[in-house]
Amino acid sequence: QQFNERNGFNFIVRAHQLVMDGFQWAHEKHCVTVFSAPNYCYRCGNQAAIMMVDEFMNYSFIQYQACPDQGVKDKVRMPDYFL
């Protein structure tokens, strides 16, 4: 909160952390995480989101699901660290 106030920010937007609903507020709405990869690694079942911001700094979130499965995935190519 102090960082935001000192720098004239309303909140911080961050990414690259899985959140199940596509976005998640933290620290009394001073920070939001946005994750845009639905059903991460074909196994997490999470929603994804995009944050829309207009010229007046009004914001909204669009949440979406993964597209329907398009066939069998090549699981041989999945790196071991995701298993």
Side-chain angles (χ1 to χ4, degrees):
Q1 180 178 353
Q2 291 175 355
F3 178 85
N4 288 351
E5 288 173 1
R6 286 182 186 151
N7 292 285
F9 298 153
N10 294 328
F11 54 86
I12 296 171
V13 180
R14 59 185 294 272
H16 300 292
Q17 179 180 349
L18 173 66
V19 290
M20 293 306 291
D21 293 325
F23 72 96
Q24 182 175 351
W25 288 99
H27 307 289
E28 299 177 358
K29 286 198 156 187
H30 290 284
C31 181
V32 64
T33 300
V34 180
F35 194 72
S36 62
N39 194 24
Y40 187 59
C41 293
Y42 304 107
R43 65 184 340 173
C44 292
N46 62 291
Q47 285 186 302
I50 297 171
M51 184 179 190
M52 305 288 292
V53 182
D54 69 17
E55 64 271 17
F56 303 107
M57 299 304 290
N58 297 313
Y59 62 88
S60 62
F61 296 93
I62 298 173
Q63 294 172 284
Y64 57 97
Q65 300 285 343
C67 66
D69 194 7
Q70 299 295 316
V72 178
K73 303 291 182 249
D74 183 4
K75 293 189 180 203
V76 175
R77 296 174 54 207
M78 185 178 294
D80 290 340
Y81 54 81
F82 286 128
L83 300 177

